[in-house]
């Protein structure tokens, strides 16, 4: 399963969700669903008892649940029982709740939206814009962030074309780019901004986003021109691409008289007079 973890919101409550690229289906945390439908103080215990009952009845719902690693409140990931849309519907039928019908409609809407987005990628962009807007980001920042996503994909497509593996190798090259232009690895950068599991780019200022885009588009362009053969070659290209943005950063800082690498993050900037990561 190639999974993408997301948090969905029903009312004011979170539902941890996973999109499976292979099955083209959603999987939802059963405990989160139970919590919403029952308002139980211990939804985990409720689900354990319900599982026993369903197993005794010979139901296949429990058997079809998948143990997927989802983020918990402490920031770590733990195996959690998840069910697809069909399984969640069957579980809902086993729980007497006044929220059952509106929740089923919500689940169906979530599933339909994803399928629509697969057919029309513009819908995914529109949804991303709405999500960022709801979180308080400015229109200017949102436009920069969406452009950065496009540039990042072009770079990773270039890496994939050369056989670079997703995961550790992508992370190594990305760290080299960050280190070259910002003087910090991804981990150091996140620590500097007071982040833990949050997305680093979602916490960059406009200036930081622009410089990172310059670094990544430069890396992609240099790779296309030089056609690197080994991973060591790609590391050198990443360093060269990052250095292009470092030169721009240093020139800008000389003009401004201060660093453009900011400790501010989305939360801190949202509490200033200029929300939306405009700096």
């Amino acid at each position: 399963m190639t999974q993408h973890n997301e948090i969905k919101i029903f009312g004011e409550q979170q539902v941890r969700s996973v999109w499976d690229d292979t099955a083209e289906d959603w999987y939802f945390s059963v405990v989160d669903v139970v919590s919403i439908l029952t308002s139980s103080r211990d939804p985990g215990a409720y689900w354990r008892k319900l599982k026993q009952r369903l197993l005794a009845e010979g139901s296949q719902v429990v058997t079809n649940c998948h143990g997927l690693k989802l983020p918990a409140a402490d920031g770590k990931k733990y195996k959690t029982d998840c069910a697809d849309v069909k399984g969640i519907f069957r579980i809902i039928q086993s729980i007497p709740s006044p929220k059952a019908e509106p929740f089923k409609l919500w689940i169906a809407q979530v599933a339909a939206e994803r399928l629509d987005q697969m057919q029309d990628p513009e819908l995914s962009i529109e949804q991303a814009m709405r999500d960022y807007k709801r979180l308080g980001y400015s229109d200017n920042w949102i436009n920069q962030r969406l452009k950065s996503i496009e540039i990042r994909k072009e770079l990773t497509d270039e890496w994939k074309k050369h056989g670079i593996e997703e995961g550790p190798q992508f992370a190594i090259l990305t760290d080299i780019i960050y280190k070259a232009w910002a003087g910090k690895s991804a981990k150091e950068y996140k620590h500097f901004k007071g982040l833990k599991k949050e997305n680093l780019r979602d916490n960059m200022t406009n200036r930081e986003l622009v410089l990172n885009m310059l670094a990544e588009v430069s890396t992609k362009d240099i790779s296309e021109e030089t056609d690197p053969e080994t991973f060591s070659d790609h590391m050198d290209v990443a360093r060269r691409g990052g250095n292009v943005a470092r030169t721009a950063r240093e020139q800008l800082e000389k003009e401004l008289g201060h660093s453009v690498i900011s400790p501010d993050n989305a939360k801190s900037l949202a509490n200033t007079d200029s929300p939306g990561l405009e700096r």
Side-chain angles (χ1 to χ4, degrees), residues 174-190 192 204 208 211-212 215 239 242-243 245-247 249-250 253 259-261:
T174 301
D175 256 359
I176 290 173
I177 293 172
Y178 279 139
K179 197 79 173 179
W181 81 260
K184 303 177 189 298
S185 66
K187 185 177 181 180
E188 292 167 341
Y189 209 158
K190 292 179 75 170
F192 179 67
M204 286 184 175
E208 291 171 310
L211 288 167
N212 194 63
R239 196 172 294 108
N243 283 339
R246 177 179 59 95
T247 300
R249 174 178 68 83
E250 290 174 348
E253 289 175 342
S259 174
V260 297
I261 307 299

Side-chain angles (χ1 to χ4, degrees), residues 264-277:
D264 290 329
N265 56 40
K267 184 176 181 181
S268 62
L269 284 170
N271 292 325
T272 68
D273 292 332
S274 302
L277 298 175

Side-chain angles (χ1 to χ4, degrees), residues 2-4 21 152-153 155-157 159-174 231:
T2 302
Q3 67 178 61
H4 305 278
D21 283 340
R152 175 67 179 180
K153 186 178 185 307
L155 173 59
T156 55
D157 285 347
W159 285 343
K160 289 177 183 177
K161 187 176 73 176
H162 284 83
I164 302 299
E165 297 177 3
E166 291 187 63
Q169 290 190 332
F170 273 28
I172 290 170
L173 295 177
T174 301
F231 186 68

Side-chain angles (χ1 to χ4, degrees), residues 65-69 79-82:
C65 282
H66 294 257
L68 303 178
K69 283 194 173 184
K79 271 197 172 183
T80 306
D81 281 344
C82 296

Side-chain angles (χ1 to χ4, degrees), residues 21 29 35 45 101 106 109 118 124 127 130 182 203 237 240:
D21 283 340
S29 164
S35 177
E101 286 307 313
W106 177 81
Q109 181 183 2
M118 290 172 65
S124 296
Q127 183 62 53
R130 287 195 295 270
N203 289 273
V237 169
R240 290 161 61 188

Side-chain angles (χ1 to χ4, degrees), residues 27-211:
Y27 288 83
F28 300 90
S29 164
V30 178
V31 171
D32 291 355
V33 172
V34 168
S35 177
I36 288 172
L37 295 180
T38 66
S39 299
S40 171
R41 291 184 178 181
D42 191 348
Y46 189 106
W47 170 232
R48 287 192 292 273
K49 290 182 180 178
L50 180 57
K51 276 202 294 187
Q52 292 175 355
R53 195 186 85 199
L54 291 171
L55 286 170
E57 293 173 355
S59 172
Q60 294 295 311
V61 175
V62 177
T63 306
N64 293 332
C65 282
H66 294 257
L68 303 178
K69 283 194 173 184
L70 299 181
D74 61 5
K76 297 180 180 178
K77 290 187 176 182
Y78 301 95
K79 271 197 172 183
T80 306
D81 281 344
C82 296
D84 62 12
V85 174
K86 187 184 296 184
I88 289 295
F89 277 1
R90 289 176 179 170
I91 290 170
I92 292 173
Q93 291 171 353
S94 304
I95 301 175
S97 171
K99 298 179 183 178
E101 286 307 313
F103 191 76
K104 283 195 287 187
L105 290 174
W106 177 81
I107 288 284
Q109 181 183 2
V110 168
E113 284 177 353
R114 181 67 185 197
L115 293 174
D116 288 343
Q117 289 169 4
M118 290 172 65
Q119 297 298 320
D120 185 357
E122 283 191 16
L123 294 176
S124 296
I125 296 172
E126 291 171 3
Q127 183 62 53
M129 291 182 71
R130 287 195 295 270
D131 291 342
Y132 280 127
K133 192 75 174 176
R134 189 170 61 248
L135 292 170
Y137 291 94
S138 70
D139 290 340
N140 187 25
W141 185 93
I142 292 170
N143 289 333
Q144 298 282 17
R145 183 68 180 98
L146 294 178
K147 186 63 179 177
S148 76
I149 292 171
E150 177 188 341
I151 288 173
R152 175 67 179 180
K153 186 178 185 307
E154 290 175 352
L155 173 59
T156 55
D157 285 347
E158 172 68 11
W159 285 343
K160 289 177 183 177
K161 187 176 73 176
H162 284 83
I164 302 299
E165 297 177 3
E166 291 187 63
Q169 290 190 332
F170 273 28
I172 290 170
L173 295 177
T174 301
D175 256 359
I176 290 173
I177 293 172
Y178 279 139
K179 197 79 173 179
W181 81 260
K184 303 177 189 298
S185 66
K187 185 177 181 180
E188 292 167 341
Y189 209 158
K190 292 179 75 170
H191 180 73
F192 179 67
K193 285 181 172 288
L195 307 175
K196 293 182 179 178
K197 297 294 182 180
E198 301 93 331
N199 184 294
L200 176 57
R201 294 158 201 246
D202 282 350
N203 289 273
M204 286 184 175
T205 64
N206 267 338
R207 292 170 186 158
E208 291 171 310
L209 274 177
V210 169
L211 288 167

